[in-house]
Amino acid sequence: MTAGRSESAAVEAFESFYLAHFDQVFAFVRVRVTDERAEDITGDVFFETLRAFQSKGADVLDPRWLMTIARRRVVDEWRQTGRRRSKWHLVVAASKDSVEINGDIEQFGQRELVLAVLDELPTAQRAALVLRYLEDLPVATVAAELDRSLSATESVLARARRNFAATYSKRTGQVTITS
């Protein structure tokens, strides 16, 4: 009977963790990939968490670890598809300082324009910009996520900023991101 209680407690612990963090993970994934893929990726994240929980116990029920898995799954998706057709919370710089356009992106009237500009960038450049400026990850972490050297990542970021700024400027007449 004790084994049944501990198993029941384990199921309740995981269920509680799942319910507490599902919306956060799904929202994170959904703004970075297509709606259809967001459901699959979110399911994969929690399946991986469940497997780790079953083998390692409750110590793996850490929201930071969960979000790391989610970020890696999104990067894997970008690598596999080579393009993104999603609703992103985007970073656009109005000057040398970046400005995040958050969930209220519609009020800025730029959502479709920014998405179109990002769609024109090569996959590596788009992924590097998002990880560096949206996720606010250090360049070294972006390099690790993209499986590139630090210097290669810095080069990709420099080209991505120039390409984004040039394309955005052509469409709007505004300078957006500077190196």
Side-chain angles (χ1 to χ4, degrees), residues 127-133 135-158 161:
L129 281 178
V130 170
L131 290 171
R132 176 67 183 105
Y133 296 105
E135 300 299 326
D136 198 28
L137 296 176
V139 176
T141 305
V142 174
E145 291 289 334
L146 298 178
D147 197 25
R148 293 177 177 262
S149 70
L150 185 60
S151 62
T153 302
E154 289 170 341
S155 294
V156 167
L157 282 165
R161 287 190 299 265

Side-chain angles (χ1 to χ4, degrees), residues 51-66:
R51 284 194 344 231
F53 173 71
Q54 289 171 332
S55 66
K56 298 177 184 172
D59 291 341
V60 302
L61 299 182
D62 179 352
R64 293 171 298 177
W65 183 73
L66 186 67

Side-chain angles (χ1 to χ4, degrees), residues 32 77-85 119 123 126:
R32 289 162 177 83
E77 177 71 10
W78 289 340
R79 285 182 187 144
Q80 289 174 6
T81 62
R83 60 192 169 122
R84 180 255 336 101
R85 296 190 191 284
D119 276 339
T123 301
R126 182 174 51 244

